[in-house]
Amino acid sequence: HELRTPLTNIRLFVEEALEYCEKDPTAVSRCLNVINDESQRLDRSVAEILSVSQIEAGSFEVKRDDVHVDEMLQKLKVDHEAQAKEKRIAYEFDLPPKLPTFQGDRDKIALALHNLVGNALKYTLDGGRVVVSAQVEKTRLSVSVTDTGLGIGPEEIEKVFEKFYRSKNPMAATVKGSGLGLPIAREIARLHGGDILLESELGKGSTFTLILPVAEEKA
Ligand code: ADP
């Protein structure tokens, strides 16, 4: 479904753009915007499916880069500001003055955090609040994403980390998704020796916490 819907939309809007290409440039640009959004969605879905296949094949590997946590969180903030603004969601960061640099797969950890923040914004109603906070204790970094969104009932707390699982909550079902974001994010955390924990209350909101060991290497 997550592959077919964007493809169908791309095909339909390409046909429409071709039909209007001579007489109505605004209609064409509207079509191109839809095609642009839908191709990005398709690109993300294909990448998720590839990641899941790699996880299953045991070939989902982590690289070892310098992960600058402050830069990563700064980018996380900027990347989701438009999405938050569109829904009038207060999107806040509460960070300690000093954040570590550690060895890990920069792109994969960033992807896991983007999935958590993207979900918090998707599953929170207009006018809500999403807060990203971080704590460092000795050799452990925790990044929490707290939202005032739909929340998740106790019977679904573990299920949402299963591949393709999407909540039975009818409000959540209206939001587009593949059910792959959380299993991939948890696998990324576990490959780094960490995990993702979830606390949630239906109707109130959720906190997803990414925990990572961050032993800084001695020079
Ligand atoms: P997707 O969002 O693409 O469906 P995920 O694997 O990221 O897939 O999430 C699985 C399910 O967990 C979602 O379908 C949704 O029902 C639930 N979920 C995830 N994040 C949240 C959140 N912050 N608040 C409420 N429900 C959530």
Side-chain angles (χ1 to χ4, degrees), residues 48 115-116 119-120 122-123 147 149-152 160 162 165-167 172 176-183 206 208:
E48 282 183 341
N115 287 350
L116 298 184
N119 279 349
K122 275 197 317 190
Y123 299 106
D147 65 57
L150 303 180
I152 297 166
V160 292
E162 291 171 9
Y165 186 84
R166 306 208 64 224
S167 170
K176 287 175 189 164
S178 60
L180 294 175
L182 288 179
S206 314
F208 285 86

Side-chain angles (χ1 to χ4, degrees), residues 87 89 121-129 148-150 171:
K87 289 181 79 179
I89 291 176
L121 293 167
K122 275 197 317 190
Y123 299 106
T124 295
L125 299 180
D126 285 35
R129 185 181 160 100
T148 57
L150 303 180
M171 300 261 279

Side-chain angles (χ1 to χ4, degrees), residues 148-159:
T148 57
L150 303 180
I152 297 166
E155 71 293 350
E156 288 194 312
I157 291 269
E158 274 309 310
K159 287 201 175 132

